[in-house]
Amino acid sequence: MEIRVEANEDNLTDARTRIGKMEKEIAFLKEKTDDLENRSRRSNVKIVNIPERAEGNDAVGYVERLLPRLFGEEHFPAPVVIERAHRLGKAAERVRPILVKFLNYRDKDKVLRLARNKGTVYLDTNRVSFYPDYSIEVQRRMAAFNEVKKKLREKNIEYASRYPAKLRIRHREGFKLFSTPSEKQKSNPRELLDVANKREPQQEISRPDDIDSSDVIILSYPQALQNISFISISLSSSLSSLLYWSSLLSDAESSPY
């Protein structure tokens, strides 16, 4: 009987080890899949607060004509080529943003830079905003800084968001980067600067488009999803096995023999 109990304990230890390994592999694949998704979005821009139906039936042509109108013809000596453009979501009372995919990434980068330099962009009486297009996971991580950003604006402290989800704050002659805000830092943004004074400057994380070709992950999106699905099934099977062996061990320990 003792041999049986020892064998069950060994099996449980092995199952825990394999489950731990699978959990790490799933986390790794989720991170890489999210990275691939952001790479596929790197030529996209979200344009917010364009009046509904202003584009008519030709959203692509409308955006191509709109950009020189907003930022000036002198910034676009060659026509901007838009690959695709459409409204996000179903028609409702709110104004839906327009998602634009540029054929040339440099045009996308130029538009964001012009919008940032101009500060406030108006289309007639409507204030129009331009944003990069990121995955849901990156947006969630960036949203963690919303309270801090609000207080930084109130105190006129210059800041900027950096991929994949970092907050860059101008401090003295340079910039400081922060990965996550603590609760204390959320209530008092000056804490970010206090922490920055005690830390060495962090190296900025490159955006997907800044990564060298040697760093590109050779893993297609469907392959990543398939691997995640396979590991999830294996993990479920291992958990069932763990529960089975745990039940046997419990019965063995309670047995009078």
Side-chain angles (χ1 to χ4, degrees):
M1 190 64 192
E2 291 181 0
I3 296 176
R4 249 182 96 191
V5 171
E6 290 178 359
N8 289 339
E9 290 177 345
D10 291 340
N11 289 333
L12 285 172
T13 301
D14 180 63
R16 292 191 185 100
T17 301
R18 287 188 288 110
I19 290 172
K21 183 179 179 181
M22 290 177 183
E23 288 175 340
K24 291 180 180 179
E25 289 178 350
I26 290 174
F28 173 80
L29 288 172
K30 286 176 64 179
E31 180 181 350
K32 295 307 178 185
T33 302
D34 187 68
D35 179 74
L36 286 170
E37 181 179 350
N38 282 295
R39 289 174 187 271
S40 70
R41 293 171 179 250
R42 64 184 180 180
S43 294
N44 295 356
V45 170
K46 287 181 182 178
I47 307 178
V48 179
N49 209 28
I50 298 293
E52 285 282 340
R53 295 183 293 277
E55 70 277 14
N57 296 323
D58 183 16
V60 171
Y62 174 78
V63 175
E64 289 178 342
R65 295 186 298 271
L66 176 67
L67 296 176
R69 175 182 170 187
L70 294 178
F71 300 112
E73 297 280 353
E74 65 277 9
H75 294 294
F76 301 94
V80 176
V81 180
I82 304 298
E83 188 173 341
R84 290 191 300 273
H86 61 84
R87 295 276 182 179
L88 290 175
K90 297 181 179 179
E93 294 181 0
R94 67 180 182 88
V95 177
R96 296 172 296 166
I98 297 178
L99 181 63
V100 178
K101 180 176 177 60
F102 289 80
L103 183 63
N104 190 332
Y105 168 78
R106 292 184 178 181
D107 287 336
K108 171 256 186 179
D109 202 40
K110 179 197 291 186
V111 167
L112 289 179
R113 184 175 65 254
L114 289 172
R116 184 167 55 248
N117 293 340
K118 193 169 183 179
T120 304
V121 181
Y122 281 96
L123 174 62
D124 298 329
T125 58
N126 298 314
R127 182 174 179 176
V128 180
S129 301
F130 293 78
Y131 299 99
D133 183 33
Y134 294 125
S135 68
I136 297 298
E137 176 61 21
V138 170
Q139 292 180 49
R140 182 189 63 79
R141 291 167 59 188
M142 287 183 172
F145 287 104
N146 284 348
E147 294 181 28
V148 174
K149 291 177 181 178
K150 180 180 178 181
K151 294 184 180 294
L152 289 172
R153 288 193 296 269
E154 292 173 356
K155 297 179 181 293
N156 294 321
I157 300 174
E158 183 180 344
Y159 70 88
S161 297
R162 287 292 177 265
Y163 182 86
K166 293 181 181 290
L167 184 66
R168 187 183 74 170
I169 298 177
R170 178 181 287 278
H171 181 54
R172 295 177 182 174
E173 293 82 15
F175 294 92
K176 301 294 181 180
L177 279 175
F178 299 90
S179 299
T180 55
S182 67
E183 291 302 319
K184 187 176 181 181
Q185 291 163 355
K186 286 181 181 178
S187 61
N188 183 6
R190 287 287 178 184
E191 291 290 336
L192 288 171
L193 299 182
D194 293 339
V195 173
N197 289 331
K198 301 175 184 178
R199 298 172 57 183
E200 293 296 325
Q202 301 180 28
Q203 183 177 1
E204 290 194 22
I205 303 299
S206 300
R207 296 172 297 174
D209 45 90
D210 294 333
I211 298 176
D212 295 334
S213 58
S214 58
D215 295 328
V216 175
I217 304 161
I218 310 300
L219 179 65
S220 67
Y221 188 80
Q223 285 176 327
L225 293 179
Q226 183 178 2
N227 289 341
I228 291 175
S229 176
F230 172 76
I231 292 176
S232 299
I233 294 172
S234 300
L235 180 59
S236 176
S237 177
S238 297
L239 288 173
S240 300
S241 177
L242 177 60
L243 293 174
Y244 171 75
W245 287 112
S246 178
S247 175
L248 288 180
L249 181 59
S250 177
D251 292 342
E253 290 176 345
S254 61
S255 174
Y257 298 101

